[in-house]
Amino acid sequence: MKFEAILFDCDGVLVDSEPITNGVLRDMLNEAGWAITHEECMDYFIGRTVRSATVRIEAETGRPLTDEWMASFYARRNAELDRRLVAIAHIHPAIERVHAHHGGRIACASGADRFKVEMQLVKVGLMRFFEGRIFSGHEVPQTKPAPDVYLAAAAALQADPARCAVVEDSTIGVRAGVAAGATVFAYAPLDDGEALRAAGASQVFRSMAELPALLGC
């Protein structure tokens, strides 16, 4: 298929943020009384917002998930991201090629809050490819796995969602792309990607160096 637009997730696709964010979250959940490991935190929260897990967090900690706790999480998360964040390997040449091939018809559609997405793209030098085409799951009626953020990105680019490619790395994100009607390419650098295929990914790949050719660029 000749795609009209390419829609990228952010965390784990453009930036290697998930170990950092989930490390902070693990520490704070431990402090609140939930003895969750880093691996368990990664497995449960990748692709999921903290707010969407309110019931589980409150059950495990025995405490309400307050605005003050969330503000502290955001502050600690942002400080660690600012200190340690790097881009996903090979993403810069991949994005440059995809951007040029599609005449700039690419977007970042993330489940994260806008401040985080924009801060991260600036930090790793990718903002110039996505400025003005960034969409946050916090700004649509439902975040991933609902398709809303991908539908919003496709609409802004005046592209048919069925003729868009989505690049994701989590089962929740893959389900969102599939629900939008897009063709989903799943980045799985560390495993065989079977869970991503089961969620509906059309292609699974291990390196961002492969992505432009997979997209026909």
Side-chain angles (χ1 to χ4, degrees):
M1 180 187 296
K2 180 176 173 57
F3 296 110
E4 294 180 5
I6 313 298
L7 313 178
F8 291 85
D9 178 39
C10 185
D11 297 291
V13 169
L14 302 175
V15 295
D16 193 12
S17 56
E18 287 167 337
I20 300 170
T21 296
N22 282 281
V24 172
L25 181 58
R26 181 273 321 273
D27 289 348
M28 290 189 63
L29 291 174
N30 286 176
E31 292 163 11
W34 182 359
I36 189 172
T37 68
H38 184 71
E39 292 73 20
E40 290 168 341
C41 194
M42 292 277 284
D43 287 345
Y44 185 73
F45 283 98
I46 284 180
R48 191 191 308 271
T49 65
V50 176
R51 288 280 194 193
S52 72
T54 296
V55 172
R56 176 79 186 274
I57 292 170
E58 291 182 345
E60 295 285 355
T61 63
R63 306 181 186 185
L65 185 66
T66 64
D67 290 343
E68 290 75 18
W69 193 93
M70 287 300 304
S72 179
F73 166 66
Y74 288 143
R76 287 170 62 170
R77 177 202 71 183
N78 293 346
E80 283 300 295
L81 289 169
D82 185 59
R83 187 170 70 88
R84 298 166 51 199
L85 185 70
V86 297
I88 292 291
H90 309 296
I91 194 63
H92 287 88
I95 291 293
E96 188 157 8
R97 186 167 158 189
V98 173
H99 183 272
H101 183 84
H102 288 276
R105 290 170 64 80
I106 69 172
C108 179
S110 172
D113 56 280
R114 177 173 292 275
F115 179 86
K116 180 189 181 197
V117 176
E118 294 184 346
M119 174 189 72
Q120 293 181 138
L121 294 180
V122 169
K123 174 79 175 173
V124 302
L126 288 173
M127 177 59 90
R128 66 189 179 96
F129 297 108
F130 294 101
E131 193 160 13
R133 297 179 307 281
I134 296 169
F135 302 85
S136 166
H138 289 217
E139 298 169 2
V140 292
Q142 296 183 85
T143 193
K144 302 174 185 178
D148 301 30
V149 72
Y150 282 122
L151 293 175
L157 293 173
Q158 298 183 321
D160 178 354
R163 297 192 63 83
C164 290
V166 159
V167 185
E168 269 287 355
D169 73 314
S170 71
T171 56
I172 289 173
V174 169
R175 287 162 54 202
V178 170
T183 301
V184 181
F185 294 78
Y187 175 57
L190 301 177
D191 61 43
D192 61 11
E194 281 307 308
L196 297 166
R197 287 190 183 89
S202 297
Q203 295 248 21
V204 174
F205 64 103
R206 297 183 66 87
S207 169
M208 285 298 171
E210 303 171 50
L211 183 60
L214 291 174
L215 296 174
C217 299

